[in-house]
Amino acid sequence: EVQLVESGGGLVQPGGSLRLSCAAAGFTFSTIAMSWVRQAPGKGLEWVSAIGGSGVSIYYADSVKGRFTISRDNSKNTLYLQMNSLRAEDTAVYYCAKAGGSSHYNGFDSWGQGTMVTVSS
Amino acid sequence: DIQMTQSPSSVSASVGDRVTITCRASQGISSWLAWYQQKPGKAPKSLIYAASSLQSGVPSRFSGSGSGTDFTLTISSLQPEDFATYYCQQTNSFPMTFGQGTRLEMK
């Protein structure tokens, strides 16, 4: 059974930093592309960032480019999102999502439960 | 960026009804479209990928169709557990983008 467990969310001041983690189990992590998707309170889904299985291919939404960094440690089956220069508009539930294969063409077939990030003074 | 537009934004229906939700892409995306279901306070659940392929474990009353720019999600006979918000997502190119969501409410 696929399991994705996010952690690292919390309250942070504007301009601050936070690192999210997503521990994966139940599949061959190193062969699967992964993404982060967020959802602001009462709003829709927004894709944030994606990374290929080897960690070489990386993509970002314009809204986070230059501030967020996605990475993965395949030896630990863990996905990360380093978030710097946080803004109030980054406040959201952050989900990690497993792609349905080595690429993202087939969308996401599994999601974590989400971790809440609140940016406020 | 490819814009995804869903219609309607909300729909009211009854158990047993047939419901269709439409998703339109601002440019052609072949069949690279996914559909998700989300209930309040829960993570999204994957329903359909590649426009018409059902994810494992998803009931057969859900179906998807379309290619190019126009896509539909159909629920053939609504069940009580189907009342939720539905999102489409284009997976053709980065940045991957979602539709704004369609809220399916009980009439």
Side-chain angles (χ1 to χ4, degrees), chain A residues 10-88:
Chain A
L11 174 64
V12 61
Q13 293 188 337
S17 298
L18 215 52
R19 188 176 85 154
L20 306 183
S21 299
C22 172
F27 61 101
T28 306
F29 183 71
S30 62
T31 65
I32 300 295
M34 300 290 294
S35 274
W36 289 97
V37 176
R38 69 184 180 183
Q39 187 170 37
K43 303 297 184 182
L45 301 172
E46 179 188 16
W47 171 80
V48 172
S49 183
I51 186 168
S54 65
V56 172
S57 300
I58 287 176
Y59 306 90
Y60 296 101
D62 285 347
S63 58
V64 306
K65 199 173 294 183
R67 301 187 299 123
F68 290 11
T69 302
I70 192 171
S71 63
R72 63 193 296 160
D73 185 337
N74 287 343
S75 69
K76 296 182 178 179
N77 288 355
T78 302
L79 175 72
Y80 302 101
L81 186 68
Q82 177 67 42
M83 304 186 295
N84 298 332
S85 303
L86 282 161
R87 307 166 179 167

Side-chain angles (χ1 to χ4, degrees), chain A residues 35 37 39 43-47 50 59 95 104-112, chain B residues 1 32 34 36 38 42-44 46 49-50 55 87 89 91-92 94-96 98:
Chain A
S35 274
V37 176
Q39 187 170 37
K43 303 297 184 182
L45 301 172
E46 179 188 16
W47 171 80
Y59 306 90
Y95 296 102
H104 278 86
Y105 282 113
N106 286 339
F108 307 129
D109 61 9
S110 296
W111 299 67
Chain B
D1 297 1
W32 301 120
Y36 305 96
Q38 188 179 33
K42 300 295 186 181
S46 304
Y49 65 96
Q55 287 284 359
Y87 294 93
Q89 178 203 22
T91 59
N92 180 75
F94 291 102
M96 291 189 285
F98 289 90

Side-chain angles (χ1 to χ4, degrees), chain B residues 37 47-48 54 58-64 73-75 82 86:
Chain B
Q37 175 194 69
L47 297 176
I48 286 170
L54 217 59
V58 173
S60 59
R61 63 180 180 273
F62 290 92
S63 63
L73 172 70
T74 300
I75 309 172
D82 299 337
Y86 292 84

